Amino acid sequence: MARILTGVQSTGTPHLGNVLGAIKPAIELANDPANDSYLFIADLHSLTQIKDGNLLRNNTYAAAATWIACGLDTSRSVFYRQSDVPEVTELAWYLQCMFPYSRLGLAHSFKDKSGRLEDVNAGLFGYPMLMAADILLYDAEKVPVGKDQMQHLEMTRDVASRFNHKFGETFVLPEVLTRESTMYVPGTNGGKMSKSQGNTINIFDDPKTLKKVINKEIITDATPLEDPKNPNSSVVYNLFKLVSSENDALEMANALRAGGYGWGHAKKALLEAIVDGYASERSRFNELMANREEIDFALAQGSARARVVASDVLSRVRSKIGY
Ligand code: TYM
């Protein structure tokens, strides 16, 4: 039995990178009876970027609907909203007091934005310690994430070790779980798919919008239709192989290499793979967003279950510190 934990921010509707890099792998682990799992919407982390309550709430629904639409069985996992478990902010404070300021300054989440310090709030600086608290508060053992979160996991292990060293064994040191094939899903411009880059694909979009995004935003080179092309250096193919069967991907790779198969053909195949491949997720997502009581109910139950474990671990921490 392993305890799995992961979270997704509520900064928008989760995109294909979130789905393939974290949500689907976490659901597979959660549905395995050998594991118990803690899956949550990191709406406190989102506050570092979003200051509009309505938008935050809406995004939280969209993130929750994504988990459920992608196949999460909410009765088997502890599925909750981060802000419903206030214990996490207390633990984050303790961890911040144990961690060097200079190391937090090296976090990519902060460094990427530190060029414009006037836009950086203190929450963004302390972000990795809130994430460490998310994980350590539940004695999580395995944390499935994309590549961009690996540094945060190292910081989590670091602060847990420092605490254990100073106060005696308190925290479980979590392991990061990544999948080579999906830990870095490219966006439409070839860089990492990320909301802040504006290069995302939203699998729940209607087919017309998806068509526009795929045709207009995915970059291709100017190789003429009849010429052979290198599939591996193309964004369309690299995305296609993530959303299609091995056979279909091989067929496309061969067609591109042979020539006479253009980027337009490849984009059409990618569009079909996303529209058809995620049809049931799309309709479930829309159903949940139109009827949010089901989400409210699942999150309320999950939060109550999460708090039982959280308050237990937090008592352990308080007494170790000497409160
Ligand atoms: P967030 O919300 O940015 O992303 C959620 C998950 O999606 C993964 N991901 C990707 N994977 C592959 N390719 C991509 N292009 C891609 N983009 C995003 C992320 O690696 C992540 O696993 N700080 C976290 C949320 C968080 C968390 C936690 C995660 C808060 N507390 C505790 C795990 C454990 C974040 O901002 O993820």
Side-chain angles (χ1 to χ4, degrees), residues 214-216 218 220 236 263-272:
I214 288 172
N215 285 345
K216 297 233 164 80
I218 294 187
T220 51
V236 198
W263 295 127
H265 297 120
K267 284 185 171 184
K268 188 163 174 282
L270 175 64
L271 175 66
E272 277 168 18

Side-chain angles (χ1 to χ4, degrees), residues 15 18 23 29 44 70 86 94 96 104 141 151 163 187 207 215 262-263 287 299 316:
H15 53 68
N18 301 135
I23 295 176
L29 291 163
L44 294 173
C70 285
Y94 299 149
Q96 289 200 54
L104 275 182
E141 295 167 293
Q151 188 195 36
F163 193 103
N215 285 345
W263 295 127
E287 187 183 289
L299 289 175
R316 192 207 298 160

Side-chain angles (χ1 to χ4, degrees), residues 5-9 11 15 17-18 21-22 40 42 45 82 127 131 134-135 143-149 152-153 182-186 192-194:
L5 176 143
T6 202
V8 172
Q9 284 197 72
T11 42
H15 53 68
N18 301 135
F40 67 98
H45 279 108
Q82 186 188 30
Y127 185 111
M131 178 156 162
D134 286 328
I135 298 168
V143 184
V145 284
K147 192 173 175 204
D148 58 354
Q149 298 300 316
H152 289 148
L153 260 295
T182 53
M183 68 182 187
Y184 184 97
V185 175
K192 187 197 79 160
M193 188 177 289
S194 149

Side-chain angles (χ1 to χ4, degrees), residues 7 12 16-17 24 119 135 166 182 191 274 289 315:
L16 184 63
K24 288 271 188 183
D119 293 343
I135 298 168
K166 179 122 194 87
T182 53
I274 295 177
M289 289 302 278
S315 308

Side-chain angles (χ1 to χ4, degrees), residues 65-321:
T66 303
W67 279 104
I68 301 172
C70 285
L72 179 69
D73 177 349
T74 57
S75 64
R76 281 178 57 170
S77 297
V78 180
F79 178 55
Y80 59 101
R81 198 171 10 218
Q82 186 188 30
S83 63
D84 281 342
V85 188
E87 285 81 357
V88 76
T89 52
E90 185 178 330
L91 180 57
W93 176 253
Y94 299 149
L95 299 178
Q96 289 200 54
C97 295
M98 307 294 154
F99 201 69
Y101 159 87
S102 55
R103 285 225 52 205
L104 275 182
L106 299 176
H108 301 308
S109 49
F110 168 72
K111 254 175 54 183
D112 291 352
K113 304 211 167 83
S114 60
R116 286 178 52 86
L117 268 183
E118 63 275 22
D119 293 343
V120 174
N121 55 66
L124 189 73
F125 188 70
Y127 185 111
M129 289 300 105
L130 180 58
M131 178 156 162
D134 286 328
I135 298 168
L136 301 176
L137 190 57
Y138 299 94
D139 290 334
E141 295 167 293
K142 299 196 172 181
V143 184
V145 284
K147 192 173 175 204
D148 58 354
Q149 298 300 316
M150 285 168 84
Q151 188 195 36
H152 289 148
L153 260 295
E154 276 163 33
M155 289 187 173
T156 302
R157 289 173 63 90
D158 184 353
V159 73
S161 305
R162 286 170 194 262
F163 193 103
N164 287 351
H165 185 69
K166 179 122 194 87
F167 297 104
E169 272 321 291
T170 309
F171 293 123
V172 173
L173 260 57
E175 264 176 53
V176 63
L177 283 185
T178 50
R179 281 190 190 166
E180 190 60 39
S181 57
T182 53
M183 68 182 187
Y184 184 97
V185 175
T188 53
N189 62 358
K192 187 197 79 160
M193 188 177 289
S194 149
K195 181 141 196 299
S196 60
Q197 298 298 315
N199 63 359
T200 58
I201 293 177
N202 175 357
I203 58 167
F204 305 118
D205 272 345
D206 61 87
K208 216 170 123 198
T209 310
L210 276 166
K211 185 173 179 188
K212 212 160 101 193
V213 170
I214 288 172
N215 285 345
K216 297 233 164 80
E217 291 176 20
I218 294 187
I219 52 160
T220 51
D221 62 26
T223 318
L225 188 144
E226 57 281 2
D227 285 12
K229 300 171 187 65
N230 177 1
N232 296 319
S233 60
S234 85
V235 181
V236 198
Y237 173 73
N238 283 324
L239 282 168
F240 184 72
K241 73 176 181 204
L242 296 176
V243 295
S244 65
S245 68
E246 223 173 288
N247 254 350
D248 289 350
L250 191 64
E251 228 172 75
M252 181 185 283
N254 288 339
L256 285 166
R257 284 197 190 97
Y261 184 87
W263 295 127
H265 297 120
K267 284 185 171 184
K268 188 163 174 282
L270 175 64
L271 175 66
E272 277 168 18
I274 295 177
V275 169
D276 299 345
Y278 291 104
S280 67
E281 283 87 346
R282 194 172 303 112
S283 82
R284 183 78 173 112
F285 178 87
N286 289 332
E287 187 183 289
L288 286 157
M289 289 302 278
N291 174 18
R292 302 184 178 193
E293 292 84 56
E294 191 178 334
I295 300 176
D296 287 330
F297 179 75
L299 289 175
Q301 285 216 317
S303 300
R305 288 168 69 195
R307 283 197 82 175
V308 174
V309 178
S311 57
D312 198 40
V313 175
L314 192 60
S315 308
R316 192 207 298 160
V317 176
R318 282 186 190 142
S319 74
K320 289 279 178 148
I321 297 175

